[in-house]
Structures are given as structure tokens and as C-alpha cells.
Amino acid sequence: MFGDMMGMMGKLKETQAKVEATKKRLDTVTLQENSSDNLLKVSITANRALKEITIDDSLLQDKEQLEDYLILTINKAISKATQVNETELAAVAKDGMPNIPGMDSLFK
């Protein structure tokens, strides 16, 4: 029984290290999101850090329109980054979890 516990603890520590490495790697994964007419472009990491915003000059004429574009496009970028982030971290966590009955349902 102790051997099982020690093995499980080792596997959990290994999984924790893999999760941390995955988080660091996700800092280097850049996603692009554009407004529907490509007048606004946003670059964001999979860890949801904004990297770049490119605004077409035509949007600079109307403050309210620019604000709307920013909100919509940044929210779409955050949503996309969140999906990538959660998928990657869940895959690492699921792969490293010890075989505990009923735990499979948590990662579906």
C-alpha cells in the first residue's frame, strides 16, 4: 500500500512539473483574432496576455465604434486563448493522473 502511495505521489509531482512546463510553453503560443472586416487585429498568447493590437486608420475617426471593435475582438481572442489553454492543461493533467476510479469523468 505504501508503495502505491509513494508511486502516486511521484506521479502527481511529475504531472505538476509537466503542467508548469506547459504553462510556460503556452506563453510562446500566439493566437490571432480579427474583426469580421479585418479593420482590427489582436495577437494574444494562449495564457491570455495581449501582445499586439493593430487598428486600421478608418476606425480612429469614431471613438465609440473603435471601443466596440476592441471589446468584441479582444473578447473573441480571450475566448480562443482560454479554449487552447484549458485543452492543453487538461490533456497534461489527465495524462499524468493516477488511475483512480471515477476520475475519468472529471476530464471529459
mmCIF file of all heavy atoms in Angstrom, residues 51-75:
data_model
loop_
_atom_site.group_PDB
_atom_site.id
_atom_site.type_symbol
_atom_site.label_atom_id
_atom_site.label_comp_id
_atom_site.label_asym_id
_atom_site.label_seq_id
_atom_site.Cartn_x
_atom_site.Cartn_y
_atom_site.Cartn_z
ATOM 1 N N LYS A 51 -0.530 40.788 -26.901
ATOM 2 C CA LYS A 51 0.796 41.049 -27.442
ATOM 3 C C LYS A 51 0.785 42.226 -28.414
ATOM 4 O O LYS A 51 1.739 42.985 -28.482
ATOM 5 C CB LYS A 51 1.344 39.811 -28.164
ATOM 6 C CG LYS A 51 1.569 38.623 -27.254
ATOM 7 C CD LYS A 51 2.487 38.967 -26.136
ATOM 8 C CE LYS A 51 3.773 38.228 -26.212
ATOM 9 N NZ LYS A 51 4.717 38.623 -25.190
ATOM 10 N N GLU A 52 -0.299 42.343 -29.193
ATOM 11 C CA GLU A 52 -0.326 43.384 -30.217
ATOM 12 C C GLU A 52 -1.772 43.672 -30.611
ATOM 13 O O GLU A 52 -2.607 42.774 -30.650
ATOM 14 C CB GLU A 52 0.448 42.908 -31.449
ATOM 15 C CG GLU A 52 0.541 43.906 -32.558
ATOM 16 C CD GLU A 52 1.349 43.403 -33.750
ATOM 17 O OE1 GLU A 52 1.721 42.218 -33.781
ATOM 18 O OE2 GLU A 52 1.594 44.211 -34.639
ATOM 19 N N ILE A 53 -2.043 44.942 -30.880
ATOM 20 C CA ILE A 53 -3.325 45.365 -31.431
ATOM 21 C C ILE A 53 -3.019 46.246 -32.635
ATOM 22 O O ILE A 53 -2.239 47.196 -32.522
ATOM 23 C CB ILE A 53 -4.166 46.153 -30.401
ATOM 24 C CG1 ILE A 53 -4.503 45.274 -29.198
ATOM 25 C CG2 ILE A 53 -5.435 46.698 -31.052
ATOM 26 C CD1 ILE A 53 -5.239 46.006 -28.092
ATOM 27 N N THR A 54 -3.602 45.905 -33.775
ATOM 28 C CA THR A 54 -3.426 46.685 -34.994
ATOM 29 C C THR A 54 -4.779 47.271 -35.376
ATOM 30 O O THR A 54 -5.757 46.534 -35.527
ATOM 31 C CB THR A 54 -2.899 45.797 -36.142
ATOM 32 O OG1 THR A 54 -1.700 45.156 -35.705
ATOM 33 C CG2 THR A 54 -2.617 46.613 -37.381
ATOM 34 N N ILE A 55 -4.815 48.606 -35.509
ATOM 35 C CA ILE A 55 -6.068 49.313 -35.784
ATOM 36 C C ILE A 55 -5.957 50.016 -37.130
ATOM 37 O O ILE A 55 -5.030 50.799 -37.365
ATOM 38 C CB ILE A 55 -6.360 50.355 -34.681
ATOM 39 C CG1 ILE A 55 -6.414 49.669 -33.312
ATOM 40 C CG2 ILE A 55 -7.645 51.117 -34.984
ATOM 41 C CD1 ILE A 55 -6.452 50.629 -32.136
ATOM 42 N N ASP A 56 -6.921 49.741 -37.997
ATOM 43 C CA ASP A 56 -6.990 50.432 -39.282
ATOM 44 C C ASP A 56 -7.306 51.906 -39.021
ATOM 45 O O ASP A 56 -8.086 52.242 -38.123
ATOM 46 C CB ASP A 56 -8.082 49.795 -40.144
ATOM 47 C CG ASP A 56 -8.079 50.353 -41.548
ATOM 48 O OD1 ASP A 56 -8.774 51.375 -41.755
ATOM 49 O OD2 ASP A 56 -7.408 49.772 -42.424
ATOM 50 N N ASP A 57 -6.693 52.789 -39.797
ATOM 51 C CA ASP A 57 -6.886 54.235 -39.609
ATOM 52 C C ASP A 57 -8.354 54.656 -39.668
ATOM 53 O O ASP A 57 -8.757 55.606 -38.990
ATOM 54 C CB ASP A 57 -6.093 55.022 -40.656
ATOM 55 C CG ASP A 57 -4.595 54.961 -40.401
ATOM 56 O OD1 ASP A 57 -4.193 54.644 -39.259
ATOM 57 O OD2 ASP A 57 -3.819 55.227 -41.345
ATOM 58 N N SER A 58 -9.162 53.960 -40.447
ATOM 59 C CA SER A 58 -10.572 54.339 -40.577
ATOM 60 C C SER A 58 -11.320 54.227 -39.253
ATOM 61 O O SER A 58 -12.312 54.929 -39.032
ATOM 62 C CB SER A 58 -11.259 53.487 -41.641
ATOM 63 O OG SER A 58 -11.296 52.133 -41.248
ATOM 64 N N LEU A 59 -10.855 53.380 -38.344
ATOM 65 C CA LEU A 59 -11.511 53.233 -37.044
ATOM 66 C C LEU A 59 -11.171 54.372 -36.086
ATOM 67 O O LEU A 59 -11.850 54.558 -35.081
ATOM 68 C CB LEU A 59 -11.142 51.894 -36.407
ATOM 69 C CG LEU A 59 -11.723 50.650 -37.053
ATOM 70 C CD1 LEU A 59 -11.192 49.396 -36.358
ATOM 71 C CD2 LEU A 59 -13.240 50.676 -37.000
ATOM 72 N N LEU A 60 -10.150 55.145 -36.400
ATOM 73 C CA LEU A 60 -9.720 56.210 -35.500
ATOM 74 C C LEU A 60 -10.638 57.426 -35.565
ATOM 75 O O LEU A 60 -10.529 58.326 -34.726
ATOM 76 C CB LEU A 60 -8.281 56.617 -35.824
ATOM 77 C CG LEU A 60 -7.244 55.503 -35.649
ATOM 78 C CD1 LEU A 60 -5.868 56.004 -36.079
ATOM 79 C CD2 LEU A 60 -7.221 54.982 -34.225
ATOM 80 N N GLN A 61 -11.548 57.439 -36.513
ATOM 81 C CA GLN A 61 -12.452 58.576 -36.682
ATOM 82 C C GLN A 61 -13.643 58.526 -35.725
ATOM 83 O O GLN A 61 -14.260 59.543 -35.452
ATOM 84 C CB GLN A 61 -12.980 58.627 -38.127
ATOM 85 C CG GLN A 61 -11.915 58.544 -39.199
ATOM 86 C CD GLN A 61 -10.813 59.583 -39.035
ATOM 87 O OE1 GLN A 61 -11.106 60.763 -38.791
ATOM 88 N NE2 GLN A 61 -9.566 59.170 -39.153
ATOM 89 N N ASP A 62 -13.982 57.334 -35.238
ATOM 90 C CA ASP A 62 -15.191 57.164 -34.427
ATOM 91 C C ASP A 62 -14.827 56.402 -33.148
ATOM 92 O O ASP A 62 -14.640 55.183 -33.160
ATOM 93 C CB ASP A 62 -16.234 56.396 -35.247
ATOM 94 C CG ASP A 62 -17.569 56.257 -34.544
ATOM 95 O OD1 ASP A 62 -17.640 56.479 -33.308
ATOM 96 O OD2 ASP A 62 -18.546 55.913 -35.220
ATOM 97 N N LYS A 63 -14.744 57.145 -32.040
ATOM 98 C CA LYS A 63 -14.328 56.566 -30.760
ATOM 99 C C LYS A 63 -15.242 55.415 -30.322
ATOM 100 O O LYS A 63 -14.765 54.362 -29.914
ATOM 101 C CB LYS A 63 -14.303 57.663 -29.698
ATOM 102 C CG LYS A 63 -13.868 57.188 -28.324
ATOM 103 C CD LYS A 63 -13.873 58.354 -27.334
ATOM 104 C CE LYS A 63 -13.410 57.936 -25.984
ATOM 105 N NZ LYS A 63 -14.457 57.492 -25.103
ATOM 106 N N GLU A 64 -16.558 55.611 -30.401
ATOM 107 C CA GLU A 64 -17.488 54.561 -29.980
ATOM 108 C C GLU A 64 -17.341 53.298 -30.817
ATOM 109 O O GLU A 64 -17.365 52.187 -30.286
ATOM 110 C CB GLU A 64 -18.937 55.065 -30.069
ATOM 111 C CG GLU A 64 -19.371 55.841 -28.856
ATOM 112 C CD GLU A 64 -20.850 56.153 -28.892
ATOM 113 O OE1 GLU A 64 -21.648 55.287 -29.298
ATOM 114 O OE2 GLU A 64 -21.203 57.287 -28.503
ATOM 115 N N GLN A 65 -17.189 53.457 -32.110
ATOM 116 C CA GLN A 65 -17.021 52.303 -32.997
ATOM 117 C C GLN A 65 -15.731 51.567 -32.650
ATOM 118 O O GLN A 65 -15.720 50.339 -32.562
ATOM 119 C CB GLN A 65 -17.008 52.737 -34.463
ATOM 120 C CG GLN A 65 -16.872 51.576 -35.423
ATOM 121 C CD GLN A 65 -16.770 52.023 -36.878
ATOM 122 O OE1 GLN A 65 -16.417 53.163 -37.169
ATOM 123 N NE2 GLN A 65 -17.067 51.119 -37.779
ATOM 124 N N LEU A 66 -14.655 52.307 -32.426
ATOM 125 C CA LEU A 66 -13.381 51.691 -32.057
ATOM 126 C C LEU A 66 -13.513 50.923 -30.748
ATOM 127 O O LEU A 66 -13.030 49.793 -30.629
ATOM 128 C CB LEU A 66 -12.280 52.739 -31.952
ATOM 129 C CG LEU A 66 -10.919 52.247 -31.471
ATOM 130 C CD1 LEU A 66 -10.391 51.124 -32.353
ATOM 131 C CD2 LEU A 66 -9.929 53.398 -31.415
ATOM 132 N N GLU A 67 -14.170 51.506 -29.769
ATOM 133 C CA GLU A 67 -14.362 50.824 -28.491
ATOM 134 C C GLU A 67 -15.145 49.526 -28.677
ATOM 135 O O GLU A 67 -14.804 48.495 -28.093
ATOM 136 C CB GLU A 67 -15.086 51.752 -27.510
ATOM 137 C CG GLU A 67 -14.205 52.898 -27.027
ATOM 138 C CD GLU A 67 -14.973 53.968 -26.255
ATOM 139 O OE1 GLU A 67 -16.227 53.996 -26.309
ATOM 140 O OE2 GLU A 67 -14.313 54.790 -25.600
ATOM 141 N N ASP A 68 -16.198 49.572 -29.496
ATOM 142 C CA ASP A 68 -16.983 48.365 -29.771
ATOM 143 C C ASP A 68 -16.125 47.298 -30.440
ATOM 144 O O ASP A 68 -16.183 46.123 -30.082
ATOM 145 C CB ASP A 68 -18.197 48.688 -30.659
ATOM 146 C CG ASP A 68 -19.265 49.480 -29.928
ATOM 147 O OD1 ASP A 68 -19.247 49.511 -28.680
ATOM 148 O OD2 ASP A 68 -20.121 50.078 -30.617
ATOM 149 N N TYR A 69 -15.337 47.705 -31.438
ATOM 150 C CA TYR A 69 -14.445 46.763 -32.128
ATOM 151 C C TYR A 69 -13.471 46.134 -31.152
ATOM 152 O O TYR A 69 -13.231 44.922 -31.178
ATOM 153 C CB TYR A 69 -13.650 47.489 -33.226
ATOM 154 C CG TYR A 69 -14.286 47.484 -34.585
ATOM 155 C CD1 TYR A 69 -15.421 48.235 -34.857
ATOM 156 C CD2 TYR A 69 -13.740 46.737 -35.618
ATOM 157 C CE1 TYR A 69 -15.995 48.247 -36.111
ATOM 158 C CE2 TYR A 69 -14.301 46.732 -36.886
ATOM 159 C CZ TYR A 69 -15.430 47.494 -37.125
ATOM 160 O OH TYR A 69 -15.995 47.489 -38.369
ATOM 161 N N LEU A 70 -12.887 46.969 -30.290
ATOM 162 C CA LEU A 70 -11.919 46.457 -29.314
ATOM 163 C C LEU A 70 -12.558 45.434 -28.375
ATOM 164 O O LEU A 70 -12.004 44.351 -28.157
ATOM 165 C CB LEU A 70 -11.309 47.601 -28.505
ATOM 166 C CG LEU A 70 -10.271 48.446 -29.231
ATOM 167 C CD1 LEU A 70 -9.991 49.724 -28.461
ATOM 168 C CD2 LEU A 70 -8.998 47.661 -29.456
ATOM 169 N N ILE A 71 -13.711 45.760 -27.836
ATOM 170 C CA ILE A 71 -14.382 44.850 -26.905
ATOM 171 C C ILE A 71 -14.701 43.523 -27.588
ATOM 172 O O ILE A 71 -14.389 42.453 -27.058
ATOM 173 C CB ILE A 71 -15.654 45.508 -26.329
ATOM 174 C CG1 ILE A 71 -15.263 46.637 -25.368
ATOM 175 C CG2 ILE A 71 -16.529 44.474 -25.607
ATOM 176 C CD1 ILE A 71 -16.418 47.535 -24.965
ATOM 177 N N LEU A 72 -15.322 43.581 -28.751
ATOM 178 C CA LEU A 72 -15.716 42.351 -29.443
ATOM 179 C C LEU A 72 -14.511 41.500 -29.834
ATOM 180 O O LEU A 72 -14.489 40.288 -29.594
ATOM 181 C CB LEU A 72 -16.534 42.683 -30.700
ATOM 182 C CG LEU A 72 -17.941 43.216 -30.451
ATOM 183 C CD1 LEU A 72 -18.552 43.723 -31.756
ATOM 184 C CD2 LEU A 72 -18.816 42.148 -29.831
ATOM 185 N N THR A 73 -13.512 42.122 -30.417
ATOM 186 C CA THR A 73 -12.371 41.365 -30.923
ATOM 187 C C THR A 73 -11.498 40.838 -29.789
ATOM 188 O O THR A 73 -11.053 39.683 -29.834
ATOM 189 C CB THR A 73 -11.545 42.228 -31.900
ATOM 190 O OG1 THR A 73 -12.428 42.761 -32.900
ATOM 191 C CG2 THR A 73 -10.460 41.412 -32.575
ATOM 192 N N ILE A 74 -11.271 41.635 -28.765
ATOM 193 C CA ILE A 74 -10.466 41.172 -27.629
ATOM 194 C C ILE A 74 -11.194 40.040 -26.897
ATOM 195 O O ILE A 74 -10.571 39.051 -26.515
ATOM 196 C CB ILE A 74 -10.105 42.336 -26.682
ATOM 197 C CG1 ILE A 74 -9.099 43.260 -27.374
ATOM 198 C CG2 ILE A 74 -9.545 41.817 -25.365
ATOM 199 C CD1 ILE A 74 -8.815 44.555 -26.630
ATOM 200 N N ASN A 75 -12.499 40.156 -26.718
ATOM 201 C CA ASN A 75 -13.250 39.068 -26.068
ATOM 202 C C ASN A 75 -13.183 37.780 -26.881
ATOM 203 O O ASN A 75 -13.054 36.692 -26.317
ATOM 204 C CB ASN A 75 -14.699 39.481 -25.813
ATOM 205 C CG ASN A 75 -14.836 40.340 -24.580
ATOM 206 O OD1 ASN A 75 -14.007 40.303 -23.680
ATOM 207 N ND2 ASN A 75 -15.886 41.137 -24.547
#
